[in-house]
């Protein structure tokens, strides 16, 4: 038997572990409980219960484990209890176990273990069985007098009748002893006549019994499992493939990884699956092969039509498969294979000719009556079957139709796959263009658009180049111009040079007003603004806006309004930026354009953060990410919104939360540009916390150390600022000054608060650090930066606070940062104000400022800043703890913004998993937050936390 790799890291299951922990807490409070853990084979029931058992054992519980075995249809009698009793005897002795029971009673246990001597003379009568049941009950109660007991019984779907009855008996009668029973079963094994079904129904009505359904892993959890097995973070594409093939079942993930990177099945797994099918009657196997051609789930009417069987004959043929749980009766008069792997194994048994015939029959029957499949599924079903039947003509036609349908459901990945199928089949169908009504270039254009939308830039570029190779710009200037716009967009996304050149060439191809000229001018204007040519970019954009309005193209008008808003933002006119984006969002909403709505929303998240309204920015971003998921645009636009949320979280000092969002967004395989945006924020946090290795790695990746300057102003400014901070962290003020000199040689003129003014404030820090080393050089540099600052106006409190930092009015800046709720820059400003006070001999002023600054730095774990504060405090001779006082629990109930969000949802009765879904974080992170909240509120349970939240008016 091939040994499968197992992740050394326990993945997910936070909510389920929490449920088990809560049940154990209930049991320890003299209220016995039971948990029924159901899940498919291989979904991780044993792993979950083992993890819980380990934790319970560490918490002082006596953990006993027994399992049922698949020996016969009824199973081996009392198998799980025999195993648990054997463990108990092994841990102590038969004598010590007998001492817990009434005299002579241990003889009854001899029915389970020979170590207890000869059994009593009673046979398997009702009274004798009842006594045995009472004896097991008494033994558990006596054991629980010493310490809480956890009894784990695995695979009760195989339990014999006696074990099932004993389980039900214990569940009803273990009322006050600190005993928790945890029982697992395969939910996919429970066909309609399974003997465990009535037991589960009975147990569900017993107080203290909890049903816990263990779901399959999400794609994110599969990625974590793969990372644990492989020892490295797997590529997104590989995760996607393994997730699809495994169905999220951990056991199959392990098998797929164990058999190699191609994700093929191990032979043993296939044999295991197909073996259960081959034991069925031949007619049943034939119908199953027909059903397998229809997919994992197939409707009764469709299967009848394809198989040619009457309803009665079909039902008779399928009955053995349903009885053995190979096939299940699903809702809507349908049948479903118990698992996709079963269906795949059966489908592989089709002979080549049989395979083609079956799939062709499905395509024909669905095309004749599209109600045979669920609404909206007909086109893709027909395309699938014609392709599987290897009929080139109808495979091409149906793929094109399905591709057109896919875009309506935001199924861009599926659309690309279908269009690639059309392209592959094109030369095999002589009159392909006439058959589908479009030329080859149109198919390439559609494919490039879909690939761009989902962030597949290399794929999109391949289609663009293919289309351009077939076009002549003299006869098709507008098509060429539109494709060159997409090429420029791809280059910009991938940080490749030449985007502006492509757009200027495209602009020359379409000199007269048209939709295409507006498109070209719109993108040209945007990139000109990003390249710091705001005046030219605005003029170009305004021309495009006039054309769009003349043409009555509201969607393009909305896009161009967003472009104009970008210019306002770069120029520092943030209120105008916000209102212009809002105008565009209204148009996008009316037009039901997801792209426009998300684009405008994302930009306003950034605008709010630059205006100092960072809490509003976070809330808007969360709303936007939900919409991006709804629209099927998360990987591209949703990740961009997440990045803007991260920037706002960084501003607010919610750094751990920001890192969580970054990691989640990175796992989506974002475009390179979006990845770099995320990494730059992570670098800010790493530098602030002194995480040198993390920061250095990121700065290298985003090109901050590259001698080749960035083409776009935002990236150039951000990289410059990060390098300034990096060299200061390394204790290299003169290198930081050199970076500032280069930046001021050809300075970007962005007046945007978080760009231009933030850069100037960073240059001021570099100058202050270098002044004791080379004052003359610093003076010259400051003269140049002062000239730049004189032309920097901007609006809003964030710009004003950075301006105050640059001008050295640190006390005023600290007040502004405090009002804005930005603890890191607040603490830094206080430190610099304290430094100035120390220089003037104001020792008391130093003490006041540092005692306010220090807790902020410590809370953020900003070690370099905290160290600077400590150093100045020692130099001046003051104690940083002078302002600390000990108050009441209510006074210490100061929760972070994220903890308040979690507390609000806890008070609403949500579980950790529900809270995680609501806040887009992991259940494990929610658990950490809850653990932090309880001691802060001086409570021990979630209910007490909710009560304290209302008492202290923490929920607003």
């Amino acid at each position: 038997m091939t040994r499968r790799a197992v992740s050394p890291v326990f993945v997910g299951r936070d909510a389920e572990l929490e449920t088990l922990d809560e049940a154990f807490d209930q049991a320890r409070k003299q209220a016995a409980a039971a948990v029924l853990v159901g899940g498919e084979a291989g979904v991780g029931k044993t792993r979950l219960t083992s993890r819980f058992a380990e934790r319970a054992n560490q918490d002082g519980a006596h953990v006993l484990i027994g399992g049922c075995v698949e020996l016969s249809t009824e199973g081996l009698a009392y198998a799980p209890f025999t195993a648990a009793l054997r463990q108990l005897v092994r841990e102590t002795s038969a004598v010590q176990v007998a001492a817990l029971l009434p005299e002579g009673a241990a003889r009854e246990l001899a029915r389970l273990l020979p170590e207890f001597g000869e059994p009593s003379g009673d046979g398997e009568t009702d009274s004798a069985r009842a006594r045995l049941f009472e004896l097991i009950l008494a033994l558990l109660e006596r054991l629980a007098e010493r310490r809480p007991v956890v009894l784990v019984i695995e695979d009760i779907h195989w339990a014999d009748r006696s074990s099932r009855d004993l389980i039900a008996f214990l569940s009803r009668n273990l009322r006050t002893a600190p005993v928790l029973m945890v029982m697992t079963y395969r939910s996919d094994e429970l066909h309609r006549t399974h003997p465990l079904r009535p037991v589960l129904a009975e147990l569900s009505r017993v107080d203290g019994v909890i049903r816990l359904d263990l779901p399959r892993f999400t794609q994110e959890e599969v990625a974590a499992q793969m990372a644990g097995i492989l020892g490295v973070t797997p590529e997104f594409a590989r995760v996607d493939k393994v997730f699809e093939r495994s169905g999220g079942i951990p056991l199959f993930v392990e098998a797929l990884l164990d058999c190699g990177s191609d994700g093929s099945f191990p032979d043993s797994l296939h044999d295991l699956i197909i073996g259960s099918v081959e034991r069925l009657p031949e007619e049943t196997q034939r119908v199953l092969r027909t059903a397998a051609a229809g997919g994992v789930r197939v409707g009764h009417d469709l299967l009848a039509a394809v198989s040619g069987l009457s309803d009665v004959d079909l039902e008779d043929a399928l009955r053995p498969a349903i009885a053995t749980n190979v096939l299940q009766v699903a809702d809507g008069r349908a049948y479903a294979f118990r698992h996709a792997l079963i269906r795949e194994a059966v489908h592989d048994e089709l002979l080549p000719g049989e395979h083609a015939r079956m799939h062709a029959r499905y395509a024909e029957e669905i095309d004749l009556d599209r109600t045979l499949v669920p609404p909206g599924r007909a086109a893709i079903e027909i395309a699938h079957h014609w392709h599987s039947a290897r009929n080139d003509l109808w495979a091409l036609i149906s793929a094109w139709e399905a591709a057109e349908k896919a875009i309506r459901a935001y199924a861009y990945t599926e659309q690309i796959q279908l269009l690639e199928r059309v392209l592959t089949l094109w030369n095999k169908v002589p009159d392909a263009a006439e058959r589908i009504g479009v030329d080859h270039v149109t198919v390439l254009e559609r494919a490039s658009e879909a690939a761009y939308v989902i962030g597949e830039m290399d794929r999109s570029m391949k289609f663009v180049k293919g289309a351009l190779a077939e076009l002549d710009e003299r006869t098709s200037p507008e098509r060429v111009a539109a494709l060159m716009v997409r090429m420029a967009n791809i280059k910009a996304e991938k940080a490749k040079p030449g985007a502006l050149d492509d757009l200027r060439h495209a602009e020359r191809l379409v000199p007269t007003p048209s939709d295409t000229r507006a498109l070209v001018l719109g993108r040209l204007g945007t990139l000109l603004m990003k390249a710091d040519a705001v005046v030219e970019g605005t003029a170009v954009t305004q021309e495009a806006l006039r054309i769009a309005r003349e043409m009555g193209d509201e969607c393009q008008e909305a896009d161009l309004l967003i472009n104009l808003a970008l210019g306002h933002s770069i120029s520092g006119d943030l209120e105008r930026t916000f209102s212009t984006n809002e105008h565009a969002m209204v148009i996008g909403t009316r037009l039901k354009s997801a792209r426009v709505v998300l684009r405008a929303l994302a930009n306003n998240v950034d605008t709010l953060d630059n205006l100092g309204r960072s809490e509003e920015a976070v809330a808007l971003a969360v709303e936007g990410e939900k919409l991006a998921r709804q629209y099927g645009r998360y990987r591209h636009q949703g990740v961009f919104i997440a990045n803007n949320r991260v920037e706002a979280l960084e501003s607010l000092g919610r750094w751990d939360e920001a890192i969580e969002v970054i990691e989640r967004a990175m796992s989506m395989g974002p475009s390179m540009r979006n990845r770099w945006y995320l990494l730059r924020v992570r670098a800010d946090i790493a530098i602030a916390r002194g995480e040198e290795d993390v920061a250095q790695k990121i700065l290298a990746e985003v090109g901050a150390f590259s001698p080749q300057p960035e083409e776009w102003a935002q990236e150039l400014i951000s990289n410059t600022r990060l390098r300034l901070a990096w060299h200061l962290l390394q204790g290299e003020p003169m290198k930081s000054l050199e970076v500032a000199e280069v930046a001021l040689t050809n300075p970007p003129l962005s007046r945007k608060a978080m760009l231009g003014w933030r850069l100037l404030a960073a240059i001021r820090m570099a100058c202050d650090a270098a002044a004791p080393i080379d004052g003359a050089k610093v003076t010259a540099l400051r003269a140049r930066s002062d000239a730049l600052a004189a032309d920097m106006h901007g609006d809003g409190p964030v710009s004003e606070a950075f301006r105050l930092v640059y001008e050295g009015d640190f006390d005023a800046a600290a007040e502004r940062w405090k009002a804005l709720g930005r603890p890191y820059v607040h603490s830094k400003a206080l430190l610099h104000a304290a430094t100035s006070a120390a220089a003037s001999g104001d020792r008391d002023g130093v003490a006041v400022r540092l005692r306010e600054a220090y807790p902020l730095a410590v809370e953020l774990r900003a070690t370099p800043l905290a160290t600077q504060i400590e150093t100045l405090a020692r130099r001046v001779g003051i104690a940083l703890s002078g302002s600390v006082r000990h108050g009441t629990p209510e006074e210490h109930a100061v929760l972070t913004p994220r903890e308040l969000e979690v507390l609000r949802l806890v008070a609403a009765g949500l579980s950790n998993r529900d809270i995680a879904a609501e806040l887009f974080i992991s259940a494990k992170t929610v658990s950490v937050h809850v653990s932090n909240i309880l001691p802060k509120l001086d409570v021990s349970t979630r209910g007490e936390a909710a009560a304290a939240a209302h008492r202290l008016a923490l929920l607003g």
Side-chain angles (χ1 to χ4, degrees), residues 581-658:
N581 282 326
E582 285 279 280
H583 184 191
M585 200 181 305
V586 169
I587 296 174
T589 301
R590 186 173 70 250
L591 297 177
K592 297 182 179 179
S593 171
R595 181 184 55 77
V596 169
V597 169
L598 292 174
R599 188 174 169 223
L601 186 150
N603 289 348
N604 265 355
V605 172
D606 176 72
T607 304
L608 288 170
D609 188 41
N610 276 270
L611 282 168
R613 295 159 60 183
S614 301
E615 292 285 2
E616 294 177 60
V618 171
L620 182 61
V622 170
E623 175 188 340
E625 289 175 65
K626 287 181 179 178
L627 286 175
R629 286 186 175 87
Q630 177 183 330
Y631 294 142
R633 291 174 172 264
Y634 190 85
R635 190 179 174 199
H636 187 52
Q637 287 187 282
V639 168
F640 184 73
I641 296 172
N643 171 76
N644 287 348
R645 172 156 71 117
V646 163
E647 292 178 346
L649 290 169
E650 189 273 334
S651 298
L652 293 166
R654 292 159 62 176
W655 293 351
D656 291 335
E657 186 179 343

Side-chain angles (χ1 to χ4, degrees), residues 29-67:
K29 295 173 183 176
Q30 304 296 309
V35 180
L36 295 163
V37 181
E40 295 171 88
V43 83
K45 299 181 294 297
T46 299
R47 188 78 185 268
L48 171 68
T49 53
S50 296
R51 178 63 170 237
F52 167 70
E54 292 172 3
R55 288 161 50 143
N57 184 63
Q58 292 169 358
D59 286 343
H62 191 167
V63 179
L64 300 172
I65 300 176

Side-chain angles (χ1 to χ4, degrees), residues 605-820:
V605 172
D606 176 72
T607 304
L608 288 170
D609 188 41
N610 276 270
L611 282 168
R613 295 159 60 183
S614 301
E615 292 285 2
E616 294 177 60
V618 171
L620 182 61
V622 170
E623 175 188 340
E625 289 175 65
K626 287 181 179 178
L627 286 175
R629 286 186 175 87
Q630 177 183 330
Y631 294 142
R633 291 174 172 264
Y634 190 85
R635 190 179 174 199
H636 187 52
Q637 287 187 282
V639 168
F640 184 73
I641 296 172
N643 171 76
N644 287 348
R645 172 156 71 117
V646 163
E647 292 178 346
L649 290 169
E650 189 273 334
S651 298
L652 293 166
R654 292 159 62 176
W655 293 351
D656 291 335
E657 186 179 343
I659 292 171
E660 292 171 14
V661 178
I662 290 169
E663 291 175 350
R664 177 185 290 268
M666 295 284 278
S667 71
M668 298 300 296
S671 67
M672 189 179 69
R673 280 289 176 189
N674 282 343
R675 175 182 172 84
W676 286 5
Y677 291 149
L678 292 161
L679 286 176
R680 287 188 179 101
V681 182
R682 182 65 183 92
D684 274 318
I685 297 171
I687 290 172
R689 284 182 166 170
E691 300 168 341
E692 296 183 15
D693 291 344
V694 174
Q696 186 174 28
K697 182 179 179 181
I698 292 174
L699 265 58
E701 178 174 343
V702 302
F705 296 134
S706 173
Q708 181 67 32
E710 269 282 354
E711 187 175 3
W712 315 117
Q714 178 172 335
E715 285 75 7
L716 175 60
I717 292 172
S718 296
N719 280 356
T720 299
R721 181 180 52 74
L722 286 169
R723 282 192 66 194
L724 288 169
W726 167 255
H727 287 304
L728 291 179
L729 176 65
Q730 295 297 299
E732 302 169 339
M734 295 309 297
K735 287 188 177 181
S736 184
L737 203 65
E738 290 172 8
V739 173
E741 283 185 305
V742 173
L744 291 172
T745 299
N746 183 25
L749 297 177
S750 173
R751 295 166 179 80
K752 190 173 178 180
M754 296 296 285
L755 289 178
W757 278 113
R758 192 179 185 186
L759 176 61
L760 282 176
I763 290 174
R764 167 64 191 248
M765 296 297 101
C767 288
D768 286 356
I773 303 172
D774 193 339
K777 191 172 185 179
V778 167
T779 300
L781 189 66
R782 280 300 304 270
R784 291 161 61 187
S785 64
D786 285 347
L788 179 61
D791 192 46
M792 297 275 289
H793 303 292
D795 65 352
V798 179
S799 294
E800 176 65 13
F802 277 126
R803 183 187 65 79
L804 291 170
V805 170
Y806 175 76
E807 294 176 352
D809 191 349
F810 296 114
D811 281 320
E815 288 300 315
R816 291 298 179 97
W817 293 132
K818 183 177 182 179
L820 290 169

Side-chain angles (χ1 to χ4, degrees), residues 129-167:
R129 200 172 75 133
R131 289 198 300 272
L132 178 62
F133 284 16
E134 292 285 349
L135 193 61
I136 298 294
L137 173 63
L139 178 59
L140 290 172
E141 290 175 336
R142 290 297 304 277
L143 284 172
E145 290 175 1
R146 299 176 174 182
R147 53 176 171 152
V149 173
V150 173
L151 174 60
V152 178
I153 306 175
E154 296 192 81
D155 298 324
I156 61 172
H157 54 280
W158 285 330
D160 57 284
R161 170 67 183 270
S162 296
S163 293
R164 294 196 301 269
D165 289 347
L166 180 50
I167 287 168

Side-chain angles (χ1 to χ4, degrees), residues 101-119:
L101 300 170
E103 185 176 354
R107 290 182 62 190
E108 295 293 341
L109 296 182
R111 299 183 181 279
L112 307 183
L113 280 183
E115 287 88 339
F116 291 100
E118 289 294 322

